[in-house]
Amino acid sequence: MSIEIRDLTVRYGRTVAVDSVGLDLAGGKIYGLLGRNGSGKTSLLSAIASYRKPSAGVVLIDGEEAYENPRVARRTCFIRDTLDLSDSDRLRSALDLAARLRPTWDQPYAEKLLDVFQIDPGKRVSALSRGQRSAFGVVLGLAARTPLTILDESYLGMDAVARTLFYRELLADYLEHPRTIILSTHLIEEVADLFERVIIMDRGRVIVHDETDALRGRGVTVTGPYEAVTAFAAGRVILGEQTLGGVRAVTLDGHVDPGEIERGEAAGLSFGPIGIQDLFVHLTSQPLEASR
Amino acid sequence: MFHDRSPIYLQIAEGIKNDVLSGALEEDEQVMSTNQYAAFYRINPATAAKGFAQLVEEGVLYKKRGIGMFVSPDARERLRAERRERFFADVVAPMLDEAKRIGIGVDEIVKHLGEK
């Protein structure tokens, strides 16, 4: 399902969690939503999933206004931290409820996932470890097979093995049943390869929305004699810098073409790549006045 | 498997070209589908598709509608010609630069190569 977000603002009292965001998400892709704690990720996702009424602006899903729209709600699954279950609920009854509510629910697949994550459906929610609780969220989210599936930090507490299983299942099921999936995360490095596009939020705003592959190779580090580095960096966007004695190292945003690198190297500069994780850290750690 | 320094679709294209050059992929042999490739390497299928599209555009692969993608009959020869053209600029020149920086003369390099 495609998502159009127009001038969306979400406010809690005087706090602005989402600040006039506009975003067009074409259907059938896997999106990664990145941002620091408190950047507005969960608020944005809650508005997309109609769990929260926008303070201003609108969310359109396949062209229809999403809020309090049962046609959209049936086809949307939002898995958040609380799982929207109470501690005394048994997992089996949560699964039964999901099966009744979701026309697209795949029970055999749910059973398979419970097996993969070694979760006993006879247990109560309160008996789950943090990682198992997250894994149960993944079961509910993937087996629902809804055309719009939103997973908000669904890896919390999972160990490396469980996370690997999660990513593997997510990709395998998406390949068989393509749909729109939005996954929010802090663990960029280990999951970035699964995202077709990445959205980065900072202080309530969307600062990047691009193909994941385009972010690889965006940004460069330049190291060398102070004067030469300073001359090279002139007129470019500097994301970070360090100086040690007469040596300066800067991290620059944007693309540097091979000819410039060749000339730079001839002038005694050395160039290095920055990963998506580093790019994210640099872009979201700028002082307020620099980012606005 | 993939590194973070350049777009994955370019790394995919480069990997397949290397397989064609080494003969691991024969001419007119079918290559993996984008979904198989995505599942195998755990990457987004759109990224894999972009890598394959690049190879079709460069003439390394060709499509048979409804069947899949295959290695072009002249792909190996053309890739060899391309790489040979770039060999001295891309491989030999940087080596000579480094040799010069650390005081290794051309005669010393030639002697070393003669022993290989």
Side-chain angles (χ1 to χ4, degrees):
Chain A
M1 300 213 285
S2 68
I3 303 168
E4 281 172 67
I5 299 170
R6 298 274 165 266
D7 271 326
L8 178 75
T9 297
V10 177
R11 257 186 238 108
Y12 307 99
R14 289 165 67 187
T15 309
V16 180
V18 177
D19 190 358
S20 9
V21 162
L23 207 53
D24 276 309
L25 307 181
K29 301 179 192 293
I30 306 180
Y31 294 90
L33 176 61
L34 315 179
R36 302 174 68 185
N37 290 330
S39 59
K41 300 190 297 293
T42 300
S43 298
L44 176 67
L45 295 178
S46 302
I48 293 174
S50 296
Y51 275 46
R52 177 162 289 280
K53 191 178 190 321
S55 311
V58 69
V59 175
L60 301 174
I61 308 276
D62 277 351
E64 289 189 56
E65 187 157 354
Y67 193 71
E68 291 187 336
N69 182 337
R71 279 185 305 278
V72 171
R74 254 199 311 278
R75 305 168 68 211
T76 303
C77 179
F78 179 35
I79 301 297
R80 55 180 171 177
D81 193 38
T82 63
L83 301 182
D84 294 290
L85 297 172
S86 53
D87 277 353
S88 58
D89 288 344
R90 288 202 189 274
L91 305 188
R92 180 60 71 197
S93 56
L95 293 164
D96 290 344
L97 181 67
R100 277 206 306 279
L101 289 177
R102 302 284 180 201
T104 44
W105 180 261
D106 185 333
Q107 185 61 28
Y109 182 53
E111 303 285 346
K112 185 203 152 195
L113 288 176
L114 289 170
D115 223 44
V116 165
F117 290 113
Q118 300 176 10
I119 300 170
D120 170 9
K123 282 190 175 172
R124 290 182 196 278
V125 172
S126 57
L128 299 177
S129 70
R130 181 63 255 204
Q132 286 175 318
R133 196 185 163 94
S134 291
F136 188 62
V138 169
V139 175
L140 291 173
L142 291 184
R145 291 256 170 77
T146 43
L148 174 56
T149 301
I150 302 172
L151 302 171
D152 189 16
E153 300 202 344
S154 293
Y155 55 83
L156 291 175
M158 284 188 186
D159 60 24
V161 175
R163 292 202 303 275
T164 304
L165 293 170
F166 165 34
Y167 304 145
R168 187 183 299 172
E169 288 300 331
L170 174 81
L171 180 62
D173 200 57
Y174 168 77
L175 288 172
E176 272 187 54
H177 306 276
R179 53 205 194 262
T180 307
I181 298 176
I182 308 175
L183 204 146
S184 78
T185 184
H186 286 128
L187 307 177
I188 305 155
E189 221 66 279
E190 63 181 34
V191 72
D193 292 356
L194 296 191
F195 301 145
E196 180 168 346
R197 301 184 71 89
V198 164
I199 301 152
I200 300 180
M201 282 191 84
D202 186 39
R203 284 165 284 206
R205 297 192 171 209
V206 169
I207 59 168
V208 171
H209 175 211
D210 206 347
E211 274 181 36
T212 314
D213 236 11
L215 296 180
R216 295 187 183 88
R218 172 175 163 180
V220 65
T221 62
V222 185
T223 311
Y226 193 94
E227 301 299 330
V229 171
T230 305
F232 189 88
R236 299 174 197 267
V237 179
I238 298 177
L239 294 174
E241 57 182 313
Q242 270 184 301
T243 305
L244 182 67
V247 176
R248 188 176 187 211
V250 294
T251 302
L252 302 175
D253 194 4
H255 188 77
V256 179
D257 64 54
E260 290 177 291
I261 289 183
E262 213 171 290
R263 282 194 296 280
E265 280 173 344
L269 301 177
S270 49
F271 293 83
I274 64 175
I276 291 181
Q277 171 94 32
D278 279 344
L279 182 69
F280 167 71
V281 169
H282 283 301
L283 289 175
T284 57
S285 60
Q286 300 295 309
L288 204 58
E289 56 275 19
S291 70
R292 289 285 161 91
Chain B
M1 174 60 212
F2 297 106
H3 58 72
D4 225 3
R5 296 186 292 279
S6 63
I8 287 186
Y9 84 93
L10 291 177
Q11 298 179 51
I12 291 170
E14 204 59 26
I16 290 174
K17 284 182 192 172
N18 284 338
D19 285 347
V20 171
L21 277 168
S22 72
L25 274 173
E26 305 263 357
E27 290 169 352
D28 288 315
E29 186 181 336
Q30 185 167 11
V31 297
M32 276 197 264
S33 73
T34 51
N35 270 16
Q36 284 170 331
Y37 199 90
F40 188 82
Y41 289 109
R42 307 267 160 73
I43 58 168
N44 190 287
T47 313
K50 202 171 165 190
F52 283 79
Q54 167 97 8
L55 292 170
V56 170
E57 197 174 304
E58 291 179 23
V60 176
L61 300 181
Y62 66 93
K63 274 190 213 173
K64 278 191 198 168
R65 200 171 278 280
I67 304 176
M69 276 182 251
F70 296 79
V71 179
S72 302
D74 60 342
R76 187 154 180 229
E77 215 29 68
R78 290 202 304 126
L79 286 172
R80 266 171 65 96
E82 259 175 53
R83 292 272 184 104
R84 288 171 71 101
E85 221 166 88
R86 277 167 30 205
F87 178 76
F88 288 96
D90 288 4
V91 181
V92 178
M95 181 190 74
L96 288 177
D97 285 347
E98 171 67 2
K100 196 173 167 192
R101 265 195 293 273
I102 58 178
I104 294 178
V106 174
D107 45 344
E108 204 174 329
I109 297 171
V110 171
K111 180 167 171 280
H112 175 78
L113 292 177
E115 289 161 4
K116 288 282 164 190

